[in-house]
Amino acid sequence: MGRFLQQFFLHYAALSCFGMVHGFMDETLEKAIKSEGYCSRILRAQGGTRKEGYNEFSLRVEGDPEIYKPGNTYRVTLSAASPAYFRGFTLIALKEGKDGEREEDHAGSFQIIDEEDTQFMSNCPVAVTESTPRRRTRIQVFWTAPAIGTGCVILKASIVQKKIIYFQDEGSLTKRMCEPDTSYEGGNEKTIPDCCACGTAKYRLTFYGNWSEKSHPKDYPRRANHWSAIIGGSHSKEYVLWEYGGYASEGVKQVAEFGSPVKMEEEIRQKGDEVLTVIKAKAQWPAWQPLNVRAAPSAEFSVDRTRHLMSFSTMLGPSPDWNVGLSAEDLCTKECGWVQKVIQDLIPWDAGTDSGVSYESPNKPTIPQDKIRPLTSLDHPQSPFYDPEGGPIIPVARVVIERIARKGEQCNIVPDNVDDIVADLVTEEKEEDDTPETCIYSNWSPWSACSSATCDKGKRMRQRMLKAQLDLSVSCPDTQDFEPCMGPGCSDDASTCMMSEWITWSPCSLSCGMGMRSRERYVKQFPEDGSMCKVPMEETEKCVVNEECEPSSCIVTEWGEWEECSSTCGVGMKKRHRMIKMTPADGSMCKTDTTEVEKCMMPECHTIPCVLSPWSDWSDCSVTCGKGTRTRQRMLKSPAELGDCNEELKQVEKCMLPECPIHCELTEWSNWSECNKSCGKGHMIRTRMITLEPQFGGALCPETVQRKKCRLRKCQKSSGIEKKRLKEAREKRRSERTNEEADGEQYPVCKMKPWTAWTECTKYCGGGIQERFMTVKKRFKSSQFTSCKDKKEIRACNVHPC
């Protein structure tokens, strides 16, 4: 019985993967099967029925990587070599050494590309199988690699061809990949192969920042959270912008600590021909907003055979020196083509230049400088990513790199299924400008002073005025621009000297005329080498409270501090006051202002509009043929307290289906004619006329003439005189027919040309029309035959939906 159960498990699990179990099973066997994990039974079934050395089928991961990048998405292809085929299959991904008994044994996740070909197994949702059993030679799915710490992964496939199941623990139906070494002690030793691709490819990088208080609630900085400007480039393998296990350059340090891309861009441009395109995209303040409020930043770049790598970085701020990005991402494939798409989730990495452990840790330079490394959940208990169990860090961003065009002759070994070859690629870098032509602005003002008065991170602002909006239906972009900066207390001599904020100005030394005032600051942290701080601790400036103190003068106090801005965002107003100390001695009124008002600029208001669900699919057309309408809807998801929502929640558009069939229409039957005989057996007829010919597949016209028999009294035998009279009548009718034939020769019959071929369909889909024609070849000469006309037929075509 045990051997029978084992064999039954093998066949039942394998066949059930492909919907071929016929329901034969007794209660005992059913209980035995249900007691085990379904996914693990699939694996044992596959393993027990494999055929060694069978290589007509292959499992391939795009690019044939031996090392996977955590969070990266790969295209997985299962194919059969001609003339082989397969009817069913199973695809599963496991951690190396695991048997699939538990949920945590599985690695990564699959994504369905074509639902007509593939689906997730109902009894083992982590596995992919066929949608319907049929002959096929190839299927494709996406597989997203697991997080850091998973180790090596085994992708396994099984094939059903007729009634035979093929499976291999090693070989063409198994793919093994491992994660990169995360120790980084010896630097990044990844060997980048030479590129054999031809021509040039153009890509678009889109950055989706997912770092928010909802996704990363621990110690999330509610104020000043942002992503710095993106900076990077497409380059050769001789140049390294940054890499795990390497040391940050000054440019990388400036990005990681201050969010400033200036120095890194300078370093990239100094590499000359080693760089093809400088990649730049704008900063994002705040760090996260819904995509329907702010589009994800993007940049375009090009690659060629020598400069086929791309790298970039951006700082998440505030933070000590934490960045995200890609390093030396190879866009050239082993098949001498260009990668179509890269999707990768990003976790932060430490630049090794600052020893802070939390978002808003005070500056603490790392001396000597450490190597670049990814952050982990066990770095420090005060880290916002800390997890005592050492779980993976939730990604803070996702980058999508998508090929948008190729130029020049291509030399792919495997044909590329995307037709995106163009005549020309513009590789020159252009400054991004999303200003519509209908918005007329002034020039940008100079940058303001940094918001931080100390050697600390802040931000500065520039602004421009909207002079004209030519089209009110087109919104105009921001009139303000912000970027990270460091306060004026920073200098080469004071880079390790931490200073306090400036204390309030002292009162002016004179109440009348020109005087002096001063302010001070103090050292918060001395340099670690014991040297003295060489930055100024005090500064003075001239001041005037009252220009003159005459008997007729109005003596006032100094201005008080400015009140807070009346607005928390955008443009507001602020006030300050002073008091009258002494009225004029001559008794006149004081004409001096005691209140001063001026505009104040706060960070741009980020109003949250209606939060809406995506549009539903379009409904079916309201009619089954001809012209109708269809609708789609969306739901309001934002809370009512955010205010009324004026966005439309329902849309209606016209739809056109194939023309409705037009059936044949006829008149009513005429009355029956008289019998054609005066005695004996005869017949009589009735007729009807066609009033509307059928079109667009309508019902054809039925008969238009009906005949039925009639029988009158029996004919009597005729006398000799009667016979003579009948004979003369027959001869007369024969003579009349002869005359008619002669007339026919004089007036020929109406002859028609054959039908023409059907014309091309007026539409490629959604229902079009075809026509054909029959013209008169020879018309009647007599005026009584004027009804001889050309004919036309119409029919429907391409009725399948678009």
Side-chain angles (χ1 to χ4, degrees):
M1 183 65 181
R3 181 175 179 80
F4 172 75
L5 274 175
Q6 182 183 14
Q7 293 300 320
F8 187 86
F9 288 151
L10 296 176
H11 291 286
Y12 173 80
L15 293 174
S16 62
C17 295
F18 312 102
M20 294 186 290
V21 174
H22 299 290
F24 61 98
M25 151 182 275
D26 61 31
E27 185 178 354
T28 303
L29 295 180
E30 187 172 5
K31 290 180 180 178
I33 289 174
K34 287 184 177 178
S35 65
E36 299 187 48
Y38 190 87
C39 294
S40 62
R41 293 206 313 277
I42 294 172
L43 295 171
R44 290 200 300 276
Q46 293 169 339
T49 57
R50 68 179 182 270
K51 181 175 179 179
E52 300 293 347
Y54 198 81
N55 293 315
E56 290 187 8
F57 307 108
S58 65
L59 176 65
R60 182 177 172 272
V61 178
E62 183 179 18
D64 294 323
E66 295 180 359
I67 295 175
Y68 67 82
K69 295 181 179 180
N72 213 352
T73 300
Y74 300 87
R75 186 186 300 268
V76 179
T77 303
L78 184 60
S79 59
S82 180
Y85 65 89
F86 55 95
R87 295 183 181 275
F89 70 93
T90 304
L91 188 59
I92 200 164
L94 295 173
K95 297 176 183 177
E96 189 173 38
K98 303 297 183 180
D99 56 9
E101 286 278 0
R102 298 171 299 174
E103 184 178 350
E104 54 267 30
D105 291 351
H106 302 274
S109 60
F110 289 104
Q111 300 172 42
I112 300 299
I113 296 178
D114 187 348
E115 293 182 351
E116 293 184 0
D117 259 345
T118 55
Q119 66 178 359
F120 292 108
M121 295 185 67
S122 58
N123 293 335
C124 181
V126 293
V128 177
T129 186
E130 78 286 349
S131 295
T132 54
R134 61 178 175 82
R135 286 194 177 201
R136 47 172 59 84
T137 59
R138 179 186 178 199
I139 65 97
Q140 288 187 330
V141 295
F142 285 130
W143 176 72
T144 301
I148 290 177
T150 302
C152 295
V153 174
I154 308 295
L155 269 65
K156 295 186 176 186
S158 68
I159 291 291
V160 171
Q161 186 191 49
K162 297 181 181 179
K163 295 183 179 180
I164 305 171
I165 299 176
Y166 299 95
F167 182 84
Q168 292 174 310
D169 288 327
E170 297 178 356
S172 61
L173 289 179
T174 297
K175 175 69 178 178
R176 180 179 184 268
M177 295 185 293
C178 295
E179 68 177 325
D181 180 15
T182 57
S183 63
Y184 308 109
E185 292 300 325
N188 191 350
E189 299 179 357
K190 178 178 68 173
T191 301
I192 301 173
D194 292 332
C195 178
C196 58
C198 301
T200 309
K202 190 171 186 178
Y203 289 86
R204 179 182 292 112
L205 176 152
T206 307
F207 182 84
Y208 299 95
N210 301 325
W211 178 50
S212 66
E213 188 172 10
K214 182 177 180 181
S215 62
H216 298 79
K218 183 180 178 183
D219 300 333
Y220 187 77
R222 295 188 176 183
R223 299 182 63 183
N225 59 82
H226 66 281
W227 291 102
S228 72
I230 293 173
I231 184 67
S234 57
H235 56 92
S236 71
K237 62 181 182 180
E238 308 302 325
Y239 174 44
V240 179
L241 274 76
W242 70 272
E243 64 178 345
Y244 289 132
Y247 290 98
S249 65
E250 183 60 30
V252 174
K253 176 184 176 182
Q254 292 285 334
V255 173
E257 291 194 25
F258 312 131
S260 172
V262 177
K263 182 63 177 178
M264 188 168 179
E265 182 177 350
E266 180 184 326
E267 292 177 355
I268 294 172
R269 294 189 184 280
Q270 288 176 351
K271 293 300 178 180
D273 291 340
E274 299 295 331
V275 175
L276 181 59
T277 309
V278 177
I279 300 171
K280 298 196 295 182
K282 289 184 176 180
Q284 298 180 85
W285 293 77
W288 182 88
Q289 280 191 319
L291 292 177
N292 62 348
V293 176
R294 181 183 66 198
S298 64
E300 295 180 359
F301 64 94
S302 298
V303 292
D304 59 18
R305 177 176 286 189
T306 58
R307 293 157 295 188
H308 53 98
L309 308 176
M310 72 81 59
S311 304
F312 81 92
S313 69
T314 175
M315 177 197 77
L316 72 159
S319 69
D321 58 346
W322 298 343
N323 274 24
V324 300
L326 292 179
S327 173
E329 183 69 27
D330 195 350
L331 299 175
C332 183
T333 68
K334 292 182 179 179
E335 294 80 18
C336 303
W338 298 108
V339 172
Q340 291 181 14
K341 194 172 188 178
V342 174
I343 303 174
Q344 186 157 339
D345 291 325
L346 305 175
I347 63 170
W349 47 269
D350 189 310
T353 61
D354 191 291
S355 300
V357 296
S358 64
Y359 292 127
E360 300 182 269
S361 293
N363 285 354
K364 187 178 181 182
T366 303
I367 301 174
Q369 185 173 325
D370 281 342
K371 295 179 180 179
I372 296 174
R373 64 173 184 84
L375 295 181
T376 72
S377 59
L378 294 174
D379 285 339
H380 195 281
Q382 295 181 5
S383 167
F385 307 108
Y386 182 71
D387 178 4
E389 297 181 359
I393 291 178
I394 297 174
V396 295
R398 168 174 287 188
V399 64
V400 176
I401 302 171
E402 190 167 12
R403 195 182 74 204
I404 56 176
R406 290 176 294 161
K407 179 195 172 186
E409 184 178 353
Q410 304 294 312
C411 50
N412 307 54
I413 298 174
V414 177
D416 199 304
N417 58 3
V418 176
D419 183 14
D420 57 359
I421 297 178
V422 298
D424 190 23
L425 284 182
V426 180
T427 58
E428 294 82 4
E429 180 188 347
K430 294 182 180 179
E431 188 70 26
E432 184 179 354
D433 185 7
D434 56 359
T435 304
E437 295 180 357
T438 56
C439 300
I440 310 301
Y441 289 95
S442 66
N443 293 327
W444 285 107
S445 69
W447 286 104
S448 68
C450 193
S451 62
S452 173
T454 64
C455 184
D456 205 352
K457 298 172 188 176
K459 60 180 177 180
R460 61 179 184 168
M461 178 189 73
R462 62 177 181 173
Q463 55 187 337
R464 56 183 178 179
M465 293 183 60
L466 178 62
K467 300 170 70 176
Q469 187 173 358
L470 304 181
D471 186 351
L472 296 178
S473 65
V474 178
S475 61
C476 292
D478 304 335
T479 57
Q480 293 177 302
D481 189 19
F482 296 87
E483 73 172 15
C485 60
M486 292 301 295
C490 293
S491 66
D492 293 338
D493 294 333
S495 60
T496 59
C497 196
M498 184 69 68
M499 305 298 296
S500 70
E501 299 273 353
W502 285 103
I503 299 174
T504 307
W505 287 102
S506 66
C508 195
S509 59
L510 296 176
S511 59
C512 299
M514 182 76 68
M516 299 296 293
R517 65 176 182 173
S518 63
R519 64 177 183 176
E520 299 175 342
R521 61 179 176 177
Y522 59 92
V523 178
K524 291 176 66 178
Q525 181 178 320
F526 285 94
E528 295 183 359
D529 58 6
S531 60
M532 297 298 294
C533 287
K534 299 179 181 179
V535 294
M537 304 292 181
E538 181 181 3
E539 63 180 9
T540 59
E541 68 174 15
K542 295 178 180 179
C543 57
V544 176
V545 181
N546 297 282
E547 292 183 359
E548 56 185 17
C549 295
E550 300 292 336
S552 61
S553 300
C554 187
I555 310 301
V556 294
T557 63
E558 290 188 68
W559 287 107
E561 294 293 329
W562 285 105
E563 296 176 358
E564 291 187 359
C565 191
S566 62
S567 176
T568 56
C569 62
V571 181
M573 304 297 291
K574 62 181 181 180
K575 298 179 182 180
R576 64 176 181 175
H577 306 277
R578 60 182 177 181
M579 299 179 65
I580 297 175
K581 293 176 64 177
M582 184 182 299
T583 57
D586 58 8
S588 61
M589 296 293 293
C590 273
K591 298 180 180 179
T592 304
D593 293 331
T594 57
T595 300
E596 190 174 41
V597 181
E598 71 174 24
K599 289 183 178 180
C600 49
M601 301 294 295
M602 300 299 286
E604 182 186 0
C605 297
H606 295 288
T607 57
I608 301 178
C610 314
V611 179
L612 301 167
S613 67
W615 283 108
S616 66
D617 293 334
W618 285 105
S619 66
D620 293 334
C621 198
S622 60
V623 296
T624 56
C625 60
K627 296 179 180 178
T629 58
R630 62 178 187 170
T631 61
R632 66 174 182 175
Q633 297 176 330
R634 58 182 175 180
M635 302 292 290
L636 178 63
K637 299 174 68 177
S638 55
E641 54 265 23
L642 291 181
D644 295 334
C645 180
N646 296 321
E647 296 290 335
E648 61 178 345
L649 301 178
K650 182 178 182 180
Q651 287 183 342
V652 181
E653 72 172 11
K654 295 179 180 179
C655 52
M656 180 71 183
L657 294 179
E659 292 287 349
C660 297
I662 298 177
H663 304 301
C664 177
E665 293 184 6
L666 304 97
T667 62
E668 297 293 328
W669 286 105
S670 67
N671 296 325
W672 288 103
S673 66
E674 294 183 356
C675 193
N676 67 333
K677 295 289 181 70
S678 59
C679 64
K681 295 179 180 179
H683 66 271
M684 53 185 181
I685 63 172
R686 66 174 181 175
T687 61
R688 55 182 175 180
M689 302 295 292
I690 296 174
T691 59
L692 183 61
E693 295 283 351
Q695 295 184 35
F696 310 117
L700 300 177
C701 292
E703 59 183 348
T704 56
V705 178
Q706 284 185 347
R707 175 182 302 188
K708 72 177 181 177
K709 294 178 182 180
C710 56
R711 182 167 185 163
L712 303 176
R713 60 183 175 82
K714 191 172 184 181
C715 296
Q716 297 179 354
K717 291 184 179 181
S718 304
S719 63
I721 296 173
E722 182 68 20
K723 288 181 178 180
K724 184 178 180 180
R725 187 177 63 78
L726 292 174
K727 182 178 180 181
E728 288 174 353
R730 284 196 299 271
E731 288 176 355
K732 184 180 179 181
R733 287 196 298 271
R734 189 180 299 115
S735 175
E736 288 176 353
R737 282 198 300 270
T738 303
N739 291 336
E740 288 177 1
E741 290 175 1
D743 289 341
E745 293 175 2
Q746 184 178 358
Y747 304 105
V749 296
C750 180
K751 294 185 179 180
M752 307 296 288
K753 292 182 181 179
W755 285 105
T756 63
W758 290 102
T759 62
E760 290 189 5
C761 193
T762 57
K763 293 183 179 180
Y764 292 109
C765 61
I769 295 174
Q770 287 179 298
E771 298 177 333
R772 67 172 182 175
F773 305 91
M774 177 186 284
T775 56
V776 175
K777 185 175 183 182
K778 192 170 184 181
R779 298 181 183 276
F780 285 111
K781 296 179 180 179
S782 174
S783 60
Q784 62 180 321
F785 299 110
T786 55
S787 61
C788 186
K789 296 180 180 179
D790 296 340
K791 296 182 179 181
K792 180 174 76 171
E793 283 189 352
I794 302 174
R795 71 177 183 184
C797 56
N798 292 343
V799 297
H800 57 276
C802 294

